[in-house]
Amino acid sequence: MKLIKTVSALLVALAATSAAHAGDLAATVDLGTTGLGLHLTAPLAPQLNARVGLNYASYSYDGNTSDVDYDFKLKLATVDALLDYHPFSSGFRVSGGVVYNGNKIEANAKPKNGSYTLNGRAYPAALVGKLDGNVDFRKAAPYLGIGWGNAVQATGWGFGMDLGVTFQGSPKTSLTNSGCTAPALVCAQLASDVATENAKLADEVKDFKLYPVVRVGVSYRF
């Protein structure tokens, strides 16, 4: 719901901005590291445009810490609110703004030969239950980048690209286990070792604090 409200507010603001520039609103469909995206662009000044958009993707990959193998599922869901400055009155642009960041990673641990090894201790998978967690990022993330293309100056169809970085901050990991059926003392030790593994998982995903943005798109000026 929050994402929908954010998108709605940005679209209303952009529509109001473009009202005085009838015929200058442009839409771009793009694809890249932020997933599949839809952006709307409107002029603010001769060399300055406002751009808002929604990006989404989801894919899975394998990863591991020193002890545990994981199935990771990366869910990308972001809303851009950007300003594009064209310093040479050409297609080249410098972009900056804020991204509403709904990106997250789901981490599901996989047992090896029927057991998990956590903090040097082996636990039968049948007794551990589920071992999974999430990796989350701050919701408001600054963006800075460069690109090419001025959708509102194109006649009809146009081309654009972005190359930049979203500063989404240090990831927050929350690895937990549920359904432990071992004796209480074993479950208590397991919880302590899961906390140690959570720190290792945080180290594994620390590079995600800077998220690279590379995307290309096709635009149409209305």
Side-chain angles (χ1 to χ4, degrees), residues 122-209:
Y123 296 91
L127 299 180
V128 169
K130 294 183 63 178
L131 181 60
D132 52 26
N134 290 310
V135 182
D136 295 301
F137 307 89
R138 66 184 179 193
K139 296 306 181 185
Y143 171 83
L144 185 63
I146 59 174
W148 183 267
N150 191 335
V152 295
Q153 285 189 350
T155 302
W157 296 99
F159 168 81
M161 64 174 295
D162 285 300
L163 177 63
V165 176
T166 299
F167 300 86
Q168 57 184 1
S170 297
K172 295 181 180 180
T173 57
S174 56
L175 185 68
T176 59
N177 82 285
S178 58
C180 179
T181 57
L185 288 178
V186 176
C187 288
Q189 182 62 58
L190 172 63
S192 176
D193 290 338
V194 168
T196 300
E197 173 63 21
N198 185 59
K200 294 181 179 180
L201 179 60
D203 185 67
E204 180 68 22
V205 299
K206 65 182 180 181
D207 291 340
F208 279 94
K209 64 183 179 181

Side-chain angles (χ1 to χ4, degrees), residues 74-116:
L74 177 59
K75 295 184 177 181
L76 303 174
T78 54
V79 178
D80 306 324
L82 308 175
L83 292 176
D84 296 325
Y85 176 59
H86 298 263
F88 309 117
S89 298
S90 66
F92 175 77
R93 65 192 183 214
V94 178
S95 303
V98 178
V99 176
Y100 175 84
N101 187 13
N103 291 346
K104 70 176 182 178
I105 303 172
E106 295 179 354
N108 298 300
K110 299 185 296 183
K112 295 179 183 178
N113 300 320
S115 67
Y116 295 100

Side-chain angles (χ1 to χ4, degrees), residues 6-26 39-44 50-53 222:
T6 301
V7 175
S8 300
L10 290 173
L11 292 180
V12 169
L14 187 62
T17 299
S18 62
H21 302 271
D24 286 344
L25 185 66
H39 288 79
L40 298 179
T41 304
L44 297 178
R51 180 162 48 120
V52 298
F222 295 99

